Amino acid sequence: MKLKKRIFILPGLLIAIVVMVFFSFMKKIENFADQEINLSQELIFTVPAGTGRAGLEALLIQDRLIEDNQLLPWLFRVQPDLAKFKAGTYRLQKGMSLKAVLQLFSSGKEAQFAIRFVEGSRLSDWSKILQSASYLKHEIENKTSKELLDALGMKEAESLEGWFYPDTYLYTAGTSDVELLKRAHNKMKTVVGQEWENREKNLPYKSAYEMLIMASIIEKETAIEAERTKVASVFVNRLRLKMRLQTDPTVIYGLGEKYTGTIFRSNLNTLTPYNTYMIDGLPPTPIAMPGLASIKAAAHPAVTEYLYFVANGDGGHTFTTNLVAHNKAVSLYRQRLKQDK
């Protein structure tokens, strides 16, 4: 009788032990999934295309995010949704659990990187920023201007300058610099097109492109919001009267790398397509990437009789309607400079 009881008790005990071991192992896997990854600061982590489960485990161990304990394959079996990870570059934060990391990989929500282009910058400035940007695919350095114009769908344009909207752009790893420029170009086309359609009547521009050129000059002449429409009015008035624009930023642009920080009299007397002291009308292309405020100012200049302006020494400008008043303002500005030395 006792033997029979032992025979019945033994399978029950074995089942109980198996169940206990199973739940203990499942709890171990659960704790493994819920544990924080070994990370002291933000990490950009890339899951290459074609990476399998074993490959991902190797990458996590290689970066010391988890220990080599053979539990990850079991976690994938228990929670198969975590194994549906997608290739990409992800932003991992301190305090994330392994489960949260795998859920991020499964979501495909890649890390976003930001690149900022400021108003008044030139294409040469943009090229340097793009070249130094992390996780960006660099293509423009291998393209000629003609090839880049074609890639951006600007086959009829003569110059790239001015045609990219200054803003902050987000991108994921592997995005090409050409694609970023295409987004900036399309945004500029949209903005310029809208402002051209809504512009004031009877402005002395033959095309939206001429308005863009004007906007770039305004952008380089002042950073003060309240002055932009006044600066625009000066140049618009001059164009209407067939007066030369005589604006230093265009001269500087025409000098290129020869400009060392000072405009000399010889520079003003040297003919270039951008020397508005010697040429009539607008220069042939924009001289910078204008922002929205300057584009709006070019499309909606203030109604004034101003023909001149000069720096006032306080960061702004003095606007005048005649040469006598302008020369007086110039004299006051020079006196101010001497006093400040």
Side-chain angles (χ1 to χ4, degrees):
M1 188 71 178
K2 289 182 179 179
L3 181 59
K4 288 183 178 180
K5 287 184 178 179
R6 287 176 181 174
I7 292 173
F8 284 117
I9 291 171
L10 186 59
L13 183 60
L14 288 174
I15 292 172
I17 292 173
V18 169
V19 170
M20 288 178 61
V21 170
F22 173 76
F23 280 105
S24 175
F25 185 64
M26 292 297 290
K27 186 62 177 177
K28 189 175 182 180
I29 293 175
E30 183 180 342
N31 290 338
F32 173 64
D34 291 337
Q35 74 179 10
E36 289 186 9
I37 56 173
N38 183 26
L39 197 60
S40 60
Q41 60 185 6
E42 180 181 277
L43 174 69
I44 302 300
F45 185 90
T46 298
V47 180
T51 301
R53 298 182 183 186
L56 178 60
E57 181 179 20
L59 289 172
L60 292 171
I61 293 171
Q62 175 183 302
D63 283 5
R64 300 181 180 179
L65 298 178
I66 64 171
E67 295 180 0
D68 186 5
N69 53 18
Q70 304 301 312
L71 289 176
L72 189 58
W74 287 101
L75 177 58
F76 285 147
R77 290 190 183 96
V78 173
Q79 299 189 44
D81 285 346
L82 297 180
K84 297 177 181 178
F85 48 85
K86 299 176 178 66
T89 298
Y90 300 90
R91 194 182 302 275
L92 306 187
Q93 304 285 352
K94 178 183 178 182
M96 291 181 72
S97 67
L98 174 60
K99 184 176 182 179
V101 169
L102 295 175
Q103 287 174 332
L104 177 63
F105 294 166
S106 297
S107 73
K109 295 179 180 177
E110 293 190 64
Q112 295 278 321
F113 302 94
I115 191 166
R116 171 67 176 161
F117 301 111
V118 299
E119 295 85 347
S121 53
R122 299 178 181 177
L123 183 61
S124 58
D125 301 318
W126 284 45
S127 296
K128 292 175 183 177
I129 294 171
L130 289 169
Q131 286 172 8
S132 62
S134 302
Y135 301 98
L136 195 64
K137 185 178 179 182
H138 302 290
E139 294 180 343
I140 62 173
E141 59 187 349
N142 297 321
K143 293 183 181 295
T144 64
S145 295
K146 175 69 166 58
E147 290 172 336
L148 189 53
L149 284 167
D150 290 343
L152 295 171
M154 300 173 60
K155 297 180 180 181
E156 296 180 0
E158 295 183 4
S159 172
L160 292 163
E161 195 72 86
W163 268 122
F164 304 104
Y165 191 81
D167 203 349
T168 297
Y169 294 89
L170 299 178
Y171 65 93
T172 55
T175 300
S176 74
D177 46 16
V178 172
E179 178 58 32
L180 274 182
L181 286 179
K182 188 176 293 185
R183 286 164 55 190
H185 173 59
N186 288 336
K187 189 168 184 179
M188 181 62 89
K189 278 201 307 182
T190 298
V191 170
V192 171
Q194 290 173 344
E195 293 304 321
W196 177 249
E197 288 298 318
N198 298 320
R199 71 191 185 281
E200 298 296 328
K201 295 180 180 179
N202 302 318
L203 292 176
Y205 312 134
K206 297 176 182 177
S207 64
Y209 188 55
E210 287 196 351
M211 187 183 75
L212 179 62
I213 295 173
M214 176 64 80
S216 73
I217 297 173
I218 297 168
E219 188 68 60
K220 298 301 289 186
E221 281 286 9
T222 183
I224 299 177
E225 192 75 20
E227 285 192 350
R228 294 184 195 275
T229 56
K230 291 182 181 179
V231 170
S233 75
V234 169
F235 293 132
V236 165
N237 290 340
R238 281 178 164 261
L239 287 175
R240 284 173 174 157
L241 294 172
K242 307 298 182 183
M243 294 176 65
R244 287 176 176 168
L245 297 185
Q246 296 184 323
T247 170
D248 291 353
T250 62
V251 176
I252 292 171
Y253 186 84
L255 289 173
E257 295 181 357
K258 294 179 181 179
Y259 178 66
T260 58
T262 302
I263 297 179
F264 298 99
R265 177 62 62 181
S266 59
N267 299 140
L268 300 181
N269 294 329
T270 300
L271 180 62
T272 76
Y274 294 89
N275 186 349
T276 50
Y277 285 83
M278 299 189 73
I279 67 168
D280 296 327
L282 292 161
T285 73
I287 60 171
M289 313 296 179
L292 180 59
S294 293
I295 297 171
K296 283 184 173 293
H300 305 278
V303 179
T304 75
E305 295 183 358
Y306 295 139
L307 292 174
Y308 305 90
F309 64 92
V310 67
N312 59 17
D314 295 320
H317 295 84
T318 299
F319 294 83
T320 51
T321 61
N322 59 78
L323 188 57
V324 173
H326 174 65
N327 287 339
K328 183 177 180 180
V330 171
S331 179
L332 290 173
Y333 172 61
R334 289 173 177 170
Q335 290 178 22
R336 177 71 180 271
L337 289 179
K338 290 180 181 180
Q339 292 173 359
D340 292 340
K341 286 184 179 180

